[in-house]
Amino acid sequence: RCSVRYQGGSQEHSVQPRSSGHGLSQLRNVASPDAIKKHQKSLSAWFSHQPNEERQFGPSFSLDAVHVDPVIRESSLEEILKPSPDLTIQNQLQQPFSQVISLQNLFDVDACGRQVKNVVLYGTVGTGKSTLIKKMVVDWCHGLLPRFELVIPFSCEDLSHSHAPISLQRLITKKYQHLRDVVPMLGTSNLKVLFILNGLERLNLDFRLAGTELCCDPSEPVPPSAIVVNLLRKYLLPEASIIVTTRPSAVRRIPGKYVGRYAEICGFSDTNLQKMYFQMRLSQPGCSGENSVSSSSGEQENLVEMLSRNLERHNQIAAACFLPSYCWLVCTTLHFLYFTRTVPPSQTLTGIYTSFLRLNFSGEVLDSTDPTNISMMKYVAKMVGKLAYEGVMSRKTTFSEEDLQQCFEVEMKTESELNLLEVFRSDVFRFFLTPCVQPGKEHTFVFTIPAMQEYLAALYVVLGEKKTLTQRVGKELSEVIGRVSEDVAIVVSIISKVLPLRFLPVLFNLLKIFPRYFSRLSSKDRDAIAHTMAEEMFKEEDYYNDDVLDQINSSILGVEGPVHHPDESRDDEVFELFPIFMGGILSRRNRAILEQLGCSIKNLAAFEIAKAMKKTFIRKSRKGLPPSELMDYLFFLHEFQNERFTAEAIRSLRTVNLSSVRMTPLKCSVLASVMGTTCHEVEELNLTSCNLDTSSLRILFPVLLRCKALHLQLNSLGSDACKEIRDLLLHDKCVVSNLRLGNNPVGEQGAQYLAEALAGNRSLTHLSLLHTTLGDRGAEIIAQHLAKNQHLQELNLGYNSLTDTAALHVVEVAKKHATLDKVHLYFNDISEDGKWALHSLRMDRDGVRALVFLTAGTDVSDYWSNILNVVQRNLPFWDRERVRQHLVLILQDLESSRRQTANPWRKAKFLRVESEVKKMLGKLQHGTL
């Protein structure tokens, strides 16, 4: 077996491992090699297992295939023991690494020539400690770590949960049953064993002899912590090698004399490593979904290229992807944005961020030596969430050292609080905050990923951490009084029987009233949360920004074009994800995950918040929102994952205008999912200029069926899309009565599909095929099927290069049609003879009217303003020279008709229309139209 391994930007090809017979030669007289092989197979299956998030948010990949190792730097005890740095930019910037060491060389002899037996591998949260250990174990299972003949991994979290005495032999066989024949020989043979102790910060170790007795017998039962201490002392199995992973704050728990080498995991400090990771992850065959095609492969390559260019520009994202965990978040977010075809409940942006935090903080306690045992995520939500919230409220994304100190230290009053802050600074701070790389702001900090600020601010509010001093004191008093109320009841009942003091029952009733009164105040607090959510969701100053999904895309892939000058003040910071994350956090799935992280949000609280915000949201959404803001509102409803709430909100939307919103497959899926909560008919759905394609129509099919007026102009919809539209119009549940397909390359084949749809459809009354490249042949096909239609009232075939023959044929068919009374034929290649033939049509005689020019004999057409409005709206998408030629012909026709009439009223109307055409021609020539 051979694998490619990337380390520190260099590529090494591992040779084929030595044969199993040679690698296990020393075991032949000790135990059967089959036991080791079974152990390897079991470990490989376990450590190759990916967490649910890998399968849930994109394609997973095998650790034993291609892997990017983070940079590992050899450190020293002096470097670790130096005073903790203040929150200054100089101490947060990454220093160049001169002592890089590979994972395979961790147990090489040290600088003094001594054999290293104990290695401490430390790194802050998110640097990839656990993944590196997984890869190390998998490598050994496949024979790529021949230095050791037996690897025994232990989780310190598991060990911390047990305090009962147990022997080392029993501890191993309890976890790894395949080793029951090998374990009795440990210590009596020359077997090269490696113990892996992952997450040492979970254990409270005491290396004093008075605290932990010496033990050299693997069969003697002692507490698990004593086993770890004696292994590190080399009093128990002195020939065994040990690698310990831990966070920086817990490194000092092991005395330096027991450590042979300190090594720090420094993440992807080189952007080349980041590019390798993104190339590997985003180029996976399954990245674009099961039905991926060559176009999807091209999109993957384009994503990698854009991301690489953004990294090369030394954007803030490069500082974020210093941590491998954030590389995972970036790839997962891009997969969500680009390759999501359906959105099951598990697929939400809030779910991605919540799961991301669970991957990094699940079960993590900030400091195991602190009696409060506060979860790391709860501490982050309280401290960092406050900073994030204050930044959102003041529309600020950069924070000075004074801002950080004021937020973190202003309420520090006890020794325990200061100790927790110290642990947070050394272990977690860099995970959420990083030095700003923007020129001119080098001495400030920003959130590692911009959206993380809004997520933590939302979590801070929803958890109820935003309280005044009165609210905090009231809550504590309520909890205390509530706990003792039952005891007080017993005491009062006893005293009242002995002493006739009438005021005691009254005092007890007063004590019972306070918690009830405070619960009412709590409900008002939830009203305030709902009010905050509504106010932030419908901020008018954010109405005309890009929708939030496009904003996230730009923050990851960058914005092509000129960059703001560093001296320019930017007041365009927007926080439109903040209310969306608030809604997403309240969903049942995310609340369950946050419960695992120590951040509890009760069902009753979520119910009351939803109830409080329902009326406000529905009332404000009815006022009419700009397209991008409406998309944000729909995305909020999707993230909220409350079907009853969503159904009531959607029923109030009779008109959905998303024109000019770039409707990606994800946005189409969100629209379909949200609209699918109800079955009501939609009066109008406007998807003009939304970058729709055939796959978009497939995703939106159930929604389109329920729309009476459907606007699909300017979407590059070709013949394949027309096939989907045909299936839509022939569906027995279709209610579409007005369909606009103008400015789409329909062509002859598309016209064939639409003609078939006209023949069998019973709901369509208005069809616009303006500027759809039909040509004479396409118009002929439409005309051939019109006779089978019994409901169409208006047909627009303008600007389709129709000649006299096709135009007159369409009109002849329209004459015989039962309901069709208006045909638009302007801006076609119709001759003067054809024009006069069409002018001769009379509504009362022929039953149809053809709109060709702005004149109707010696009078102005009743539809002149309609025609000019159509021209003005579509001019940016039409051939301007051709439009100019048509306007000149129209002007000549107007002047000729004006000269032929003697009616002064008609002459005035002609002059008015002529002035409008001349004004349009003038603007066209000067490029201002």
Side-chain angles (χ1 to χ4, degrees), residues 175-215:
K175 191 170 182 66
Y176 306 109
Q177 296 181 3
H178 300 300
L179 299 179
R180 57 180 176 270
D181 295 331
V182 179
V183 165
M185 302 302 176
L186 289 178
T188 62
S189 66
N190 293 324
L191 187 64
K192 295 177 182 178
V193 182
L194 171 65
F195 286 97
I196 298 177
L197 302 174
N198 190 30
L200 189 76
E201 68 275 358
R202 305 293 186 93
L203 287 175
N204 294 325
L205 303 181
D206 189 350
F207 281 82
R208 299 172 304 163
L209 289 176
T212 304
E213 62 179 334
L214 296 174
C215 174

Side-chain angles (χ1 to χ4, degrees), residues 306-320:
M306 292 178 68
L307 196 52
S308 297
R309 285 204 302 268
N310 206 18
L311 291 170
E312 289 167 1
R313 286 195 292 261
H314 303 287
N315 197 283
Q316 194 68 50
I317 190 175

Side-chain angles (χ1 to χ4, degrees), residues 633-671:
Y633 180 54
L634 297 173
F635 188 58
F636 168 85
L637 295 175
H638 167 68
E639 293 284 312
F640 193 34
Q641 293 290 299
N642 186 324
E643 191 168 333
R644 182 179 298 177
F645 181 96
T646 301
E648 291 190 37
I650 289 300
R651 271 194 288 269
S652 66
L653 292 177
R654 292 293 175 178
T655 300
V656 179
N657 181 11
L658 295 173
S659 60
S660 300
V661 173
R662 189 174 63 91
M663 293 298 290
T664 62
L666 171 61
K667 294 176 191 175
C668 291
S669 300
V670 168
L671 176 60

Side-chain angles (χ1 to χ4, degrees), residues 719-720 722-723 726 748-758:
S719 57
D720 290 341
C722 290
K723 188 175 181 180
R726 178 198 63 182
E748 292 183 16
Q749 184 59 52
Q752 178 67 44
Y753 291 131
L754 294 177
E756 293 172 8
L758 280 175

Side-chain angles (χ1 to χ4, degrees), residues 437-454:
V437 301
Q438 185 178 344
K441 296 185 178 181
E442 291 85 355
H443 296 278
T444 59
F445 291 88
V446 296
F447 277 83
T448 313
I449 290 285
M452 185 59 74
Q453 177 180 354
E454 298 176 75

Side-chain angles (χ1 to χ4, degrees), residues 475-527:
K475 181 180 180 181
E476 293 174 2
L477 281 175
S478 175
E479 291 175 351
V480 171
I481 293 174
R483 284 195 296 265
V484 303
S485 60
E486 294 184 3
D487 298 333
V488 172
I490 296 173
V491 174
V492 168
S493 63
I494 294 173
I495 294 178
S496 61
K497 292 178 181 178
V498 179
L499 299 175
L501 300 176
R502 297 180 180 178
F503 71 89
L504 288 177
V506 176
L507 176 62
F508 173 63
N509 288 330
L510 288 174
L511 291 175
K512 289 169 58 178
I513 287 174
F514 185 81
R516 295 174 189 167
Y517 177 73
F518 182 78
S519 67
R520 294 181 182 178
L521 290 179
S522 298
S523 65
K524 291 186 177 293
D525 195 25
R526 288 159 189 161
D527 289 345

Side-chain angles (χ1 to χ4, degrees), residues 585-704:
I585 288 171
L586 288 171
S587 70
R588 184 181 297 275
R589 184 180 298 272
N590 286 315
R591 283 190 286 117
I593 297 175
L594 288 168
E595 182 77 32
Q596 301 172 20
L597 298 175
C599 300
S600 178
I601 304 170
K602 302 298 183 186
N603 288 333
L604 181 61
F607 173 77
E608 290 181 348
I609 293 172
K611 184 179 178 182
M613 71 183 189
K614 184 181 297 182
K615 291 182 179 179
T616 307
F617 268 63
I618 293 176
R619 184 181 70 252
K620 292 196 174 187
S621 65
R622 282 176 178 168
K623 294 180 179 179
L625 300 172
S628 61
E629 193 68 17
L630 179 58
M631 188 68 242
D632 290 346
Y633 180 54
L634 297 173
F635 188 58
F636 168 85
L637 295 175
H638 167 68
E639 293 284 312
F640 193 34
Q641 293 290 299
N642 186 324
E643 191 168 333
R644 182 179 298 177
F645 181 96
T646 301
E648 291 190 37
I650 289 300
R651 271 194 288 269
S652 66
L653 292 177
R654 292 293 175 178
T655 300
V656 179
N657 181 11
L658 295 173
S659 60
S660 300
V661 173
R662 189 174 63 91
M663 293 298 290
T664 62
L666 171 61
K667 294 176 191 175
C668 291
S669 300
V670 168
L671 176 60
S673 173
V674 171
M675 298 294 289
T677 57
T678 68
C679 297
H680 78 287
E681 292 183 358
V682 180
E683 294 294 331
E684 181 180 344
L685 176 60
N686 190 343
L687 295 175
T688 301
S689 188
C690 289
N691 295 97
L692 298 180
D693 56 17
T694 306
S695 62
S696 304
L697 296 180
R698 291 194 191 105
I699 296 171
L700 292 172
F701 194 90
V703 179
L704 302 182

